[in-house]
Amino acid sequence: MSFEALILGHVRDSTIVHVRTVAQNLGIRVAFLDIGEYLVDGSIEAASGQSIFRARGRAWSLDEFPCIYQRAYAALDASPQARSRLLALETGLYSCASEVINRPFGGWQNLSKPFQLLMLQDRFTVPPSRSTSIPDDYRLFREAMSDVIYKSNSGERSIVDRITPEHDGRTERLATCPVLFQRQIIGDDVRVHVCRGEAFAVRISSDAVDYRYYKARGSFAHLEPQATLPEDIRAGSIAFAATCGVALAGFDFQG
Amino acid sequence: MSAAQPALVIISAVAADPILESLQRRYASRSCLLTNLCRAQVTVDVGNTTAADRLLIEGVSVDVNRIHGIVVSGVACQAPPGYSGEDSRYIELETFAIWIALLSKARCRVLNRPRFGALPPGLSPFQVRAAARQAGVPTVTDELCTGADLLKRQARGTRTACLDLVTQSAFWLGSCPVFDDGRLYSATALTFGEPQVLLTYVAGRCEGYVIFPHESHAASSDALLPATLGEATESAHHLVSILGLDYGFLSFRSAGKRLEFCRAYAHWPGGTLSPVAERTAAALADELGRS
């Protein structure tokens, strides 16, 4: 049986579960490889110009799939063997001949949100943002902005939330670990996904600061697909994804 | 480090680098060496043009807009002790992220500034070799091995250049302990004692040398055939553009009639080497002086 695509990810990753379900419903012949199993004792072998993925006694040539959708990552506390295998897998995916969504190292700008903002501020309006590990500089920013939210600087997923007086006791901890602060923008979220040069938007109304976590930190999140997008947003998103060399990208707007 | 505002900030993964030491001597007390990004505190603003980005290094406030130049010669980012592995990793990722923004935004000349269109900073030598192969540069082969595989090779007396994919430390098989804990290593075809061609690269200018890595000394570029130097220089220019480097060192091995790329270094890979160190430091100072 030949496959039309390979899905490479963690079996319980909600995005992977969703993509597998959608692919199945659409009748797309997809193979699935569990990165969790691979990280235990798998290997990547470069042979005859091909990247061979081995896990649990089975071998797959990554190059034989027309397309690969991957979400390869390991937990922050992953073991040395898992970390070494992740690096090997990323390198195999980078080198293989298949179309990889997204190919490792493409979109690396996601490693640094303030860096991304710097790159995006010529295309879009970005909120006043301060990335800092200096407590006094944080206090000045907070005084200058009415409402402030905080998030991670890196690509590590974090729950975005509003700064409240309850956070004051944690300010000095900044000296060890920087945080990205932004003036809060009031309004609906608009998530724009760019896929192979096309933009798809959805408006999200929620009472949670971070709509992704509305179940824990709010009460609702309504998603409404948008038929149209302002041209500058559409064109800017598509152009930025292309410049990053990624086929699939997500952009968060608010207002 | 000076307690005053430094003119030059050097970020290096190693504390003792003869080239950077020579460069520091030129700037005297106006330079500052940072060997662990986690030891400095940082503020970077976006979308607010009135603010001044700054560093706080050992209690000294440094105005980023008044720095004359920054040299990035490898990056070490190690969280302070006392945190769990997970928290340490998070601190390191967050710190690295803020530094990428700071280096990208700094108005002064930054050698090895993170570049939007280049590969990400901080790639391992294994990944850099994969990128070189993709770019069509002849490159030494990598073979992924477990610790058990390496121990068998070691027992056979093989002494090749290896890389621990977890720690990113390079070693000659037999000279360092191998962890047989299931992690993967890369073993290359480069063998102990084999001379290498080393190119120093500073903002478009290359110089070539023959080095014997284990002996920490180098011959002059006179020992290189012009054709060899030309081939290495061509590959070097191609590689630095992919990697987004202004400053670095690229090593090659001779494989039959062609050169194979072995490794890119962001710091001087050998030991003390005064003539090369002085010339490279002069080239760095000259480049910083152009801004």
Side-chain angles (χ1 to χ4, degrees), chain A residues 44 76 80-81 84-85 87 91 95 108-109 111-112 115 119 129-134 137 152-154 176 243, chain B residues 41-46 54 83 89-91 94 97 104 115-116 118 120 127 130 134 144 166 168 182 184:
Chain A
I44 294 288
L76 280 174
Q81 55 265 44
S84 67
R85 280 174 174 74
L87 189 141
T91 310
S95 305
W108 69 264
Q109 300 79 8
L111 290 174
S112 170
F115 178 62
M119 298 298 115
S129 308
R130 173 164 291 179
S131 199
T132 187
S133 50
I134 303 177
D137 290 358
S152 64
N153 285 289
S154 71
T176 304
T243 311
Chain B
Q41 293 164 256
V42 183
T43 290
V44 181
D45 275 358
V46 186
R54 68 168 179 146
Y83 291 91
R89 182 84 183 118
Y90 185 78
I91 291 167
E94 292 298 294
S104 162
R115 293 211 176 86
F116 185 75
Q127 292 170 314
Q134 283 295 101
L144 286 172
V166 177
Q168 303 307 330
L184 295 180

Side-chain angles (χ1 to χ4, degrees), chain A residues 132-135 138 170-179 181, chain B residues 41:
Chain A
T132 187
S133 50
I134 303 177
Y138 155 70
R170 292 155 61 182
T171 302
E172 295 305 316
R173 292 192 205 170
L174 278 174
T176 304
C177 187
V179 173
F181 301 96
Chain B
Q41 293 164 256

Side-chain angles (χ1 to χ4, degrees), chain B residues 72 111-113 115 118 201 203-204 239-250 264-266:
Chain B
V72 183
L111 294 176
N112 292 348
R113 188 190 296 269
R115 293 211 176 86
Y201 180 89
L239 286 165
V240 295
S241 75
I242 295 164
L243 298 170
L245 294 178
D246 307 298
Y247 165 60
F249 306 87
L250 298 121
Y265 299 85

Side-chain angles (χ1 to χ4, degrees), chain A residues 33 43 45 51-62 64-65:
Chain A
L33 297 180
S43 67
E45 182 188 328
S51 295
I52 311 293
F53 177 102
R54 293 184 192 278
R56 296 289 158 99
R58 297 168 69 191
W60 304 75
S61 170
L62 296 177
E64 288 177 3
F65 296 95

Side-chain angles (χ1 to χ4, degrees), chain A residues 75-111:
Chain A
L76 280 174
D77 60 350
S79 64
Q81 55 265 44
R83 284 161 56 201
S84 67
R85 280 174 174 74
L86 180 65
L87 189 141
L89 175 60
E90 286 173 343
T91 310
L93 287 167
Y94 172 77
S95 305
C96 80
S98 309
E99 181 186 10
V100 181
I101 298 174
N102 286 320
R103 196 174 290 278
F105 314 156
W108 69 264
Q109 300 79 8
N110 201 35
L111 290 174

Side-chain angles (χ1 to χ4, degrees), chain B residues 170-289:
Chain B
F171 60 95
W172 295 105
L173 192 55
S175 64
C176 282
V178 171
F179 297 100
D180 187 13
D181 61 0
R183 74 179 67 177
L184 295 180
Y185 296 83
S186 155
T188 71
L190 184 65
T191 54
F192 185 79
E194 190 178 344
Q196 294 175 42
V197 171
L198 184 78
L199 257 65
T200 65
Y201 180 89
V202 181
R205 288 171 284 178
C206 282
E207 277 200 73
Y209 308 89
V210 174
I211 61 164
F212 301 86
H214 59 291
E215 292 176 9
S216 300
H217 87 274
S220 76
S221 58
D222 298 341
L224 291 180
L225 293 171
T228 304
L229 186 58
E231 187 184 345
T233 302
E234 188 180 334
S235 293
H237 281 290
H238 194 174
L239 286 165
V240 295
S241 75
I242 295 164
L243 298 170
L245 294 178
D246 307 298
Y247 165 60
F249 306 87
L250 298 121
S251 71
F252 299 82
R253 74 191 277 259
S254 178
K257 289 183 179 177
R258 70 174 193 175
L259 288 180
E260 286 183 341
F261 168 66
C262 296
R263 187 168 172 183
Y265 299 85
H267 57 83
W268 173 244
T272 304
L273 186 66
S274 293
V276 178
E278 286 302 324
R279 273 207 297 280
T280 309
L284 281 176
D286 182 40
E287 188 57 33
L288 291 165

Side-chain angles (χ1 to χ4, degrees), chain B residues 3-230:
Chain B
Q5 164 81 29
L8 174 70
V9 172
I10 298 172
I11 295 164
S12 175
V14 295
D17 180 317
I19 292 172
L20 300 180
E21 285 168 357
S22 174
L23 184 64
Q24 274 197 288
R25 283 194 292 276
R26 289 162 195 265
Y27 278 78
S29 61
R30 295 178 304 123
S31 71
C32 151
L33 174 67
L34 193 56
T35 54
N36 180 1
L37 296 184
C38 287
R39 290 212 188 114
Q41 293 164 256
V42 183
T43 290
V44 181
D45 275 358
V46 186
N48 176 5
T49 53
T50 58
D53 298 340
R54 68 168 179 146
L55 297 169
L56 206 53
I57 306 175
E58 293 175 16
V60 177
S61 181
V62 176
D63 180 349
V64 175
N65 290 331
R66 290 174 56 212
I67 296 173
H68 180 73
I70 301 176
V71 178
V72 183
S73 177
V75 169
C77 200
Q78 193 170 15
Y83 291 91
S84 69
E86 186 175 2
D87 285 347
S88 293
R89 182 84 183 118
Y90 185 78
I91 291 167
E92 288 158 7
L93 288 171
E94 292 298 294
T95 303
F96 190 55
I98 196 171
W99 272 95
I100 287 175
L102 178 107
L103 294 169
S104 162
K105 190 186 170 194
R107 292 179 198 162
C108 64
R109 180 75 165 113
V110 179
L111 294 176
N112 292 348
R113 188 190 296 269
R115 293 211 176 86
F116 185 75
L119 285 169
L123 288 184
S124 81
F126 175 71
Q127 292 170 314
V128 169
R129 283 194 286 271
R133 281 184 210 103
Q134 283 295 101
V137 174
T139 302
V140 69
T141 55
D142 273 287
E143 195 178 340
L144 286 172
C145 303
T146 61
D149 295 333
L150 283 191
L151 291 171
K152 282 180 200 163
R153 287 175 182 229
Q154 189 172 304
R156 292 197 298 266
T158 311
R159 297 196 72 187
T160 53
C162 299
L163 182 79
D164 184 329
L165 294 191
V166 177
T167 63
Q168 303 307 330
S169 55
F171 60 95
W172 295 105
L173 192 55
S175 64
C176 282
V178 171
F179 297 100
D180 187 13
D181 61 0
R183 74 179 67 177
L184 295 180
Y185 296 83
S186 155
T188 71
L190 184 65
T191 54
F192 185 79
E194 190 178 344
Q196 294 175 42
V197 171
L198 184 78
L199 257 65
T200 65
Y201 180 89
V202 181
R205 288 171 284 178
C206 282
E207 277 200 73
Y209 308 89
V210 174
I211 61 164
F212 301 86
H214 59 291
E215 292 176 9
S216 300
H217 87 274
S220 76
S221 58
D222 298 341
L224 291 180
L225 293 171
T228 304
L229 186 58

